[in-house]
């Protein structure tokens, strides 16, 4: 029998979840009669409080770590929320660890595993090209989430969940071309990047080539790996540089929604209208992009499904149900208001 | 002697930090000559790699936990970044733990402390009205960061870092009134909230009263604590409701930047212009608000300084240098493009 949840208790009592929580936790700010009613319902329905505090008690050695490369990407936030819920459902503890851009996440993982006796690890973002040696040292199951691996040699050795970055980037570039844009600038990661940034740049080039449009190097704007991330600020800066150098383009494709927002704002500050004067497209499908003015045309990655599948894959590995598995999800082109068809 | 950092090594070698990192971590994708040069510089300058992986090794039992109420507030992100840096400087490990809106963070803290043998705790956000009993049980130093305490009885017992929420909200409301707005709607937290939301609402009322403007209940829009947070979605929803009910107002004051952005978007979707038809103000001073179109007029909380002082206060307590201390910082009204003066 599935036990009832705090939400069920709240519904039965006709009160809010927070009120039930106050009753359970003996808070002073609750009407004594309401409290009595709630405790009665809890008793009758055999409700077992199931919050992380109580989970922690019995899950000392059952922790899953999420290693996040770069905190500023709002795309990750929607995934983390799902990770927390799914891991809690399994009665495991979640350890969140941020990893700096220049740090080696495999090394951080190895140390963390020793200290916290982890049962599994999720690598979120990052993860360029780690040596096989380094990856093989990790003694617990792990899944690479929203990480694309470049080398074919990795393909069958590790579990990962991602979109096809080349294809999705191709999809957006192809869309822009079909909207009449040929001079498309791209705001991408650093020149040495070998991870998702490189794959998305490859998709951009592939789309141009498929339409026989020459690739113009001045339209490819790389971030500085020392100071830039996939952030609003980087998008602003790279677009400012495009404008200052007078690079000829009718559309800008930014490899994250945050960068797209920075690009739009830089254009507005330069007295240009989006999309009337210049079109802007993003990548990720964040809430922020949908609520921006203009709403950003973007590639939506199915963040929640990807997060759920990441945890499923990880627990399948922990329970030895499966060995490694690779899940590639389709992105979706979400038209906003930031791209205009050219006649 | 202060030891040199990875950035210094990079500068001396004329390469990027990531290249130095690759050299240290024996990555395959680095030119062997570059690597040799870097290792030589490291040796000559007695550089000791100092990343979290290595820190973890020697800091088994030296962890600080940050308990975050609500992940969706981008205001916290800028603070977390600073927490990570400052805690790393002290060679402690950081444990990040998110707490659901309805959960009791003191209870989560107590369990976490037992499990991880924490040396200190930062409560970020949340923290309405916890009983003294509950707070007194926490056996390690803690600081309440960006948390306002309502009860006078708490004032001298706990360390906290915040702005004066009543005053800052007064500042913004007073500003709107001086811009010619009398009919100001406010998008705030739930009716039962006794934390920062309640304080900011009090500041709004105080400003209206100081200008002898009657407080109109229909202009006070409360979020539903079961589903809403200080998010873009909540701002959108509450503004939609204002419009649907035909509430008469010339300005909307949202108690977070995220809500302000949701409000602007709802107005745009209803065919209204911001600020020409209606003005919108926010609270927090996030990057997102500065880059929005129109840029949001807001109250900037000095996030980085507050984060630094939080850690300083915590370590002063850990080292028994000070007992409790309360630090109240001034916010700053940052005019954007979203508020128009009425004639």
């Amino acid at each position: 029998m599935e036990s009832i949840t705090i939400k069920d208790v709240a519904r039965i009592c006709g009160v809010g979840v927070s009120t039930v929580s106050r009753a359970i936790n003996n808070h002073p700010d609750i009407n004594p009669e309401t409290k009595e009613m709630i405790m009665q319902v809890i008793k009758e329905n055999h409700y077992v409080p199931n919050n992380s505090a109580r989970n922690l008690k019995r899950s000392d050695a059952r922790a899953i770590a999420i290693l996040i490369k770069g905190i500023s990407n709002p795309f990750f936030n929607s995934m983390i929320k799902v990770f927390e819920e799914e891991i809690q459902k399994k009665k495991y503890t979640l350890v969140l660890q941020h990893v700096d851009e220049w740090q080696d996440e495999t090394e951080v993982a190895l140390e963390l595993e020793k200290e916290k006796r982890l049962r599994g690890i999720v690598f979120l973002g990052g993860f360029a090209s780690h040596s096989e040696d380094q990856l093989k040292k990790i003694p617990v199951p792990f899944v690479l989430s929203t990480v694309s691996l470049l080398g074919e040699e990795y393909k069958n050795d590790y579990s990962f969940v991602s979109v096809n970055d080349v294809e999705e980037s191709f999809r957006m570039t192809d869309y822009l071309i079909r909207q009449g844009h040929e001079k498309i600038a791209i705001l991408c990661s650093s020149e040495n990047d070998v991870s998702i940034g490189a794959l998305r740049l490859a998709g951009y080039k592939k789309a141009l080539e498929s339409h026989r449009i020459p690739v113009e190097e001045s339209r490819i704007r790389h971030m500085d790996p020392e100071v830039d991330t996939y952030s609003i600020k980087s998008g602003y800066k790279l677009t400012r540089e495009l404008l200052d150098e007078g690079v000829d383009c009718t559309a800008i494709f930014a490899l994250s929604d945050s960068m797209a927002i920075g690009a739009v704002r830089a254009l507005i500050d330069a007295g240009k209208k989006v999309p009337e004067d210049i079109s802007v497209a993003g990548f990720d499908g964040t809430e922020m992009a949908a609520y921006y003015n203009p709403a950003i045309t973007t590639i939506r990655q199915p963040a929640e499904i990807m997060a759920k599948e990441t945890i499923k894959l990880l627990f399948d590995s922990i329970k030895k149900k499966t060995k490694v598995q690779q899940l590639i999800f389709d992105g979706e082109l979400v038209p906003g208001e930031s791209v205009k068809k050219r006649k």
Side-chain angles (χ1 to χ4, degrees), chain A:
Chain A
M1 190 190 74
E2 192 83 352
S3 61
I4 73 166
T5 69
I6 191 166
K7 284 188 183 165
D8 298 325
V9 175
R11 195 168 25 74
I12 295 166
C13 299
V15 300
V17 169
S18 53
T19 308
V20 178
S21 172
R22 277 199 291 274
I24 297 168
N25 294 311
N26 281 317
H27 272 208
D29 53 343
I30 183 170
N31 178 310
E33 285 169 32
T34 310
K35 183 174 173 179
E36 202 183 313
M37 172 186 70
I38 292 168
M39 297 319 282
Q40 190 61 31
V41 169
I42 283 175
K43 216 176 133 193
E44 282 167 10
N45 290 278
H46 312 289
Y47 167 64
V48 183
N50 173 32
N51 61 24
S52 14
R54 289 188 173 78
N55 278 346
L56 283 173
K57 270 183 204 165
R58 51 185 171 210
S59 60
D60 242 62
R62 308 214 304 170
I64 302 293
I66 313 279
L67 266 72
I68 309 161
K69 198 105 183 194
I71 191 175
S72 65
N73 193 344
F75 172 67
F76 292 153
N77 281 354
S78 50
M79 297 188 75
I80 293 168
K81 188 86 199 132
V82 177
F83 290 146
E84 290 194 316
E85 284 164 12
E86 295 297 312
I87 289 171
Q88 199 169 320
K89 272 188 207 162
K90 307 270 186 194
K91 313 247 180 286
Y92 277 59
T93 305
L94 166 62
V95 177
L96 271 183
Q97 174 88 29
H98 290 94
V99 183
D100 272 336
E101 208 56 55
W102 56 270
Q103 281 185 321
D104 182 340
E105 55 266 60
T106 53
E107 203 186 329
V108 175
L110 283 167
E111 291 305 328
L112 202 60
E113 194 280 322
K114 269 187 227 162
E115 194 205 354
K116 314 264 184 204
R117 293 165 302 161
L118 303 173
R119 293 293 180 90
I121 299 170
V122 173
F123 291 97
L124 189 59
F127 222 95
S129 62
H130 290 297
S131 68
E132 290 252 23
D133 286 357
Q134 195 74 3
L135 287 170
K136 287 219 191 310
K137 277 188 214 154
I138 300 175
V140 294
F142 62 91
V143 177
L144 313 177
S145 193
T146 68
V147 177
S148 286
L149 295 175
L150 276 187
E152 275 301 319
E153 70 272 23
Y154 292 112
K155 279 280 187 294
N156 300 311
D157 289 344
Y158 305 106
S159 287
F160 63 86
V161 173
S162 72
V163 295
N164 183 324
D165 285 285
V166 178
E167 246 176 52
E168 299 303 334
S169 175
F170 179 94
R171 191 197 304 272
M172 179 58 88
T173 313
D174 182 69
Y175 171 79
L176 291 171
I177 296 168
R178 288 176 197 280
Q179 299 294 307
H181 298 278
E182 296 207 346
K183 296 169 182 168
I184 305 167
I186 182 165
L187 312 185
C188 48
S189 55
S190 70
E191 233 159 328
N192 303 320
D193 183 21
V194 290
S195 185
I196 57 165
L199 295 170
R200 293 179 191 172
L201 178 58
Y204 159 87
K205 287 182 178 172
K206 197 175 137 195
L208 290 180
E209 279 154 19
S210 79
H211 287 271
R212 297 172 196 278
I213 299 170
V215 172
E216 173 60 66
E217 285 300 325
S218 71
R219 294 197 187 110
I220 300 174
R221 314 305 297 199
H222 289 288
M223 56 172 89
D224 175 351
E226 304 305 310
V227 292
D228 297 327
T229 57
Y230 287 92
S231 67
I232 299 181
K233 271 204 182 80
S234 307
Y236 191 93
K237 192 181 89 171
L238 293 177
T239 304
R240 204 46 270 158
E241 287 171 11
L242 264 180
L243 292 168
D244 288 347
E245 294 176 26
V247 174
D248 184 24
C249 61
T250 66
I252 297 176
F253 176 23
L255 290 192
S256 75
D257 285 346
S258 293
M259 289 173 86
I261 285 169
V264 173
R265 188 67 228 195
L267 291 166
I268 291 171
D269 286 352
K272 301 211 179 287
K273 282 186 179 153
V274 179
E276 292 79 0
D277 298 331
I278 193 157
S279 292
V280 174
F283 199 109
D284 281 341
T286 56
E287 187 183 55
M288 215 175 62
Y291 284 88
Y292 198 74
N293 174 35
I296 307 292
T297 296
T298 187
I299 295 286
R300 181 185 292 146
Q301 301 194 64
E304 298 196 2
I305 298 170
M306 287 166 78
K308 274 194 183 169
E309 291 298 324
T310 297
I311 299 302
K312 193 172 171 299
L313 212 56
L314 186 64
F315 278 94
D316 281 354
S317 294
I318 292 171
K319 305 234 181 307
K320 309 226 186 299
K321 276 191 206 158
T322 52
K323 293 190 84 172
V324 297
Q325 224 180 316
Q326 287 92 31
L327 300 176
I328 310 284
F329 288 86
D330 274 334
E332 184 193 352
L333 196 147
V334 186
E337 305 159 335
S338 63
V339 172
K340 197 187 155 217
K341 200 176 172 78
R342 276 168 61 86
K343 281 144 204 163

